[in-house]
Amino acid sequence: MLRMHDAVMSFLQEPEPPRGVPLSVLPGIRRVVAENPGVMTYHGTNTYLIDESDGVTVIDPGPDSAKHVQDVLVAVGERPIRRLVLTHTHGDHCGAVPALSAATGAPVYGFRDCVHPRIKPDFPLDDGAHVAGLTALYTPGHAADHLCYEYYAESGQKILFSGDHVMSWSSSIVSPPDGDMLAYYRSLEKLLARDDDIYLSGHGPLLTEPRILVADMLAHRQYRERTILAELQQQDWAVAPLAAKLYHKADLFLKGAAQRNVLAHILKLKAEGIVEEHEPDTEPHPDTVALMRPLNGVKTESGGDLSHFYTDSMRRFGLRKAA
Ligand SMILES: [Zn+2]
């Protein structure tokens, strides 16, 4: 049976994990949870440490935080860090790369078309590439340069480091243009066709029977798409008022995230030839006005400014008229 609402999605919670110490995840795999909790990051970014015969592989060094880098170095101890592997280049995953590279000399591995202006992987990876015991799986959608990594644990279980493509605690934001809803659907379908036993995600606890959640996520997005389409069948809509109608979020940043997700859904429908774009609204929605105040001057993770959030919120769309 398909489940249709956030309320019944099988997301996991966990108590706030201890800070500054490595937590055992599975034999040979530990995680250090960074101190960057938030509405998008849960308790913080998971930095995974995998014990290999030649040393340690680090998956997602984490945010730009001297304390987190120190915690990772202390957790690894005497063993050398051999490689820094990125699921994607959002700042909460790759901000620590410069400091950790400098401290260890370890090379950086990430997707070949890296989106980040200042991170250049020493070893650019393509879909199917092998790094130590990991196999890269190209999964764009949340981020254009997103890779998941397959790994066989000592126990024989098939693990997928799922980054922020599939997180155990929440759905992912898909924010254009780095985020792409059509790609996100395809990347979820790609995971549904696999037989992984466990996901280790960028935020939140270990996830067993992961395909149940992936199927829920896909069904939930399809439900969202149908509700957006139903609204557009009634009238034209700008992004911000439609997001306010469909998502009932109290938190200001979650309202902003809802706008990004609505835009991503509509751009998918536009790419499919179902929806067309009209002249934008001339006045911003009150949610957008409130949101832009704290965002003023804030840079995105890739260094751009956020003024396109403002203009995107006023973009208007309607059903494409038959030619
Ligand atoms: Zn993240």
Side-chain angles (χ1 to χ4, degrees):
M1 196 182 76
L2 296 183
R3 297 171 179 178
M4 290 305 174
H5 300 283
D6 279 330
V8 291
M9 296 259 276
S10 33
F11 290 124
L12 302 179
Q13 300 290 307
E14 66 177 344
E16 185 177 350
R19 305 292 181 174
V21 291
L23 309 172
S24 180
V25 178
L26 289 166
I29 304 176
R30 294 171 294 162
R31 69 172 167 146
V32 179
V33 183
E35 279 191 77
N36 60 337
V39 293
M40 301 293 195
T41 53
Y42 198 37
H43 295 307
T45 307
N46 290 325
T47 295
Y48 290 100
L49 310 175
I50 308 175
D51 290 322
E52 297 284 355
S53 54
D54 65 346
V56 175
T57 296
V58 175
I59 295 191
D60 287 347
D64 179 10
S65 150
K67 174 166 191 315
H68 185 62
V69 169
Q70 194 55 36
D71 290 344
V72 168
L73 290 172
V74 169
V76 169
E78 297 290 294
R79 300 202 75 206
I81 291 181
R82 291 296 186 196
R83 53 199 76 80
L84 309 178
V85 179
L86 295 172
T87 60
H88 63 302
T89 58
H90 288 167
D92 59 318
H93 297 256
C94 75
V97 163
L100 207 53
S101 295
T104 63
V108 178
Y109 295 72
F111 185 60
R112 61 179 158 77
D113 291 326
C114 177
V115 174
H116 199 287
R118 294 180 306 284
I119 303 278
K120 284 286 158 274
D122 302 292
F123 292 93
L125 304 178
D126 216 330
D127 186 52
H130 299 288
V131 184
L134 302 165
T135 304
L137 189 70
Y138 183 44
T139 43
H142 169 70
D145 59 6
H146 198 288
L147 295 171
C148 295
Y149 295 95
E150 176 188 290
Y151 185 80
Y152 285 89
E154 288 171 17
S155 56
Q157 287 162 304
K158 192 172 176 181
I159 310 297
L160 191 75
F161 289 93
S162 58
D164 285 5
H165 174 44
V166 172
M167 302 189 290
S168 55
W169 78 285
S170 170
S171 58
S172 306
I173 185 172
V174 178
S175 179
D178 181 34
D180 181 311
M181 192 61 79
L182 194 53
Y184 179 71
Y185 274 51
R186 288 187 182 144
S187 293
L188 289 180
E189 285 160 358
K190 197 169 185 176
L191 297 200
L192 276 182
R194 296 172 50 84
D195 59 353
D196 306 292
D197 297 309
I198 289 170
Y199 286 2
L200 299 178
S201 56
H203 307 264
L206 172 153
L207 177 67
T208 56
E209 296 189 71
R211 277 184 299 177
I212 295 172
L213 185 60
V214 176
D216 275 0
M217 283 175 169
L218 193 57
H220 178 70
R221 295 290 177 160
Q222 288 161 341
Y223 161 78
R224 272 286 176 226
E225 184 176 307
R226 284 197 301 276
T227 60
I228 288 169
L229 201 50
E231 294 294 338
L232 289 168
Q233 275 158 353
Q234 302 301 314
Q235 61 170 88
D236 291 0
W237 281 93
V239 169
L242 184 52
K245 178 168 187 191
L246 296 180
Y247 290 74
H248 304 281
K249 300 292 186 188
D251 181 276
L252 195 54
F253 287 96
L254 292 181
K255 288 181 189 221
Q259 291 184 9
R260 306 309 297 168
N261 279 323
V262 165
L263 177 65
H265 275 294
I266 292 178
L267 292 181
K268 173 179 177 288
L269 293 167
K270 188 181 169 195
E272 292 167 337
I274 298 164
V275 160
E276 63 187 12
E277 187 154 8
H278 298 156
E279 282 295 302
D281 277 359
T282 50
E283 293 293 325
H285 187 273
D287 285 352
T288 307
V289 175
L291 185 63
M292 290 316 287
R293 237 172 267 135
L295 290 184
N296 203 5
V298 172
K299 298 289 185 195
T300 63
E301 289 155 335
S302 52
D305 70 45
L306 292 166
S307 57
H308 68 282
F309 279 30
Y310 182 81
T311 46
D312 281 346
S313 76
M314 292 190 283
R315 291 171 73 178
R316 275 185 86 79
F317 298 87
L319 279 199
R320 188 166 158 205
K321 310 283 181 291

